[in-house]
Amino acid sequence: MELQSRETLSYIGRLEAVIAELQLQTQMRMEIEAKLTRIQTLHDTMAHNFPDGVIGVLNREMRYVLVDGKELADMDLTTMSMTGKNTFPNQPPRLPEETLKQLKKAFEGASVNCEVSINDKIYEVTAVPLNDAENTI
């Protein structure tokens, strides 16, 4: 009987250690998530309030993954209306084919600058490669 009790106590001790580790990992995950939420909120606020321009992130299919900024309203556009949309020349804001060619160079690792005219305004566009966690553009 005493042997079984020692085994049970040992098993309970191991379970308690696993539970303590899981609680620690859960707490750490919650802290990281809270930090990421704060960073995302700051990022969204910064992009939304970007003056006299637009911040946009395009994927390889030339669709807006992120787009925001004060100038969107002057273009009669919204973040929601642009996110997920293509940047083809026949869709507002209409970007010339040459501008799209320049933007695509960022996916090859180049930083490029060009100008684009939208609603009788000329904007300077800067495109830079953005790397993911695996350092892939």
Side-chain angles (χ1 to χ4, degrees):
M1 184 78 112
E2 191 175 305
L3 180 60
Q4 187 177 13
S5 294
R6 279 191 221 147
E7 288 176 3
T8 302
L9 288 175
S10 174
Y11 181 72
I12 291 171
R14 289 191 308 253
L15 280 177
E16 288 173 341
V18 168
I19 290 169
E21 178 63 25
L22 287 173
Q23 287 173 332
L24 178 63
Q25 288 180 10
T26 300
Q27 179 63 33
M28 289 172 55
R29 190 186 102 239
M30 291 171 60
E31 290 172 5
I32 291 169
E33 287 176 355
K35 184 177 181 179
L36 288 173
T37 298
R38 286 191 303 272
I39 290 170
Q40 183 66 46
T41 300
L42 288 171
H43 174 268
D44 291 347
T45 301
M46 181 180 65
H48 183 70
N49 292 297
F50 187 75
D52 302 321
V54 174
I55 295 175
V57 176
L58 300 169
N59 64 15
R60 290 187 181 276
E61 291 78 37
M62 301 305 286
R63 291 184 183 275
Y64 289 100
V65 176
L66 171 125
V67 60
D68 211 338
K70 294 275 187 191
E71 199 68 18
L72 279 179
D74 287 351
M75 296 178 193
D76 294 323
L77 299 168
T78 65
T79 298
M80 294 304 293
S81 71
M82 294 296 296
T83 303
K85 301 288 190 233
N86 279 328
T87 57
F88 295 129
N90 60 343
Q91 294 178 324
R94 288 167 176 75
L95 298 180
E97 195 63 41
E98 184 56 37
T99 301
L100 292 175
K101 286 180 187 176
Q102 290 294 320
L103 294 176
K104 289 178 182 179
K105 290 180 181 180
F107 292 107
E108 298 166 8
S111 295
V112 296
N113 289 300
C114 56
E115 289 185 346
V116 63
S117 177
I118 300 172
N119 294 345
D120 298 325
K121 286 186 175 182
I122 297 176
Y123 296 94
E124 181 178 340
V125 177
T126 301
V128 296
L130 299 176
N131 296 339
D132 61 16
E134 287 81 37
N135 207 27
T136 303
I137 298 175

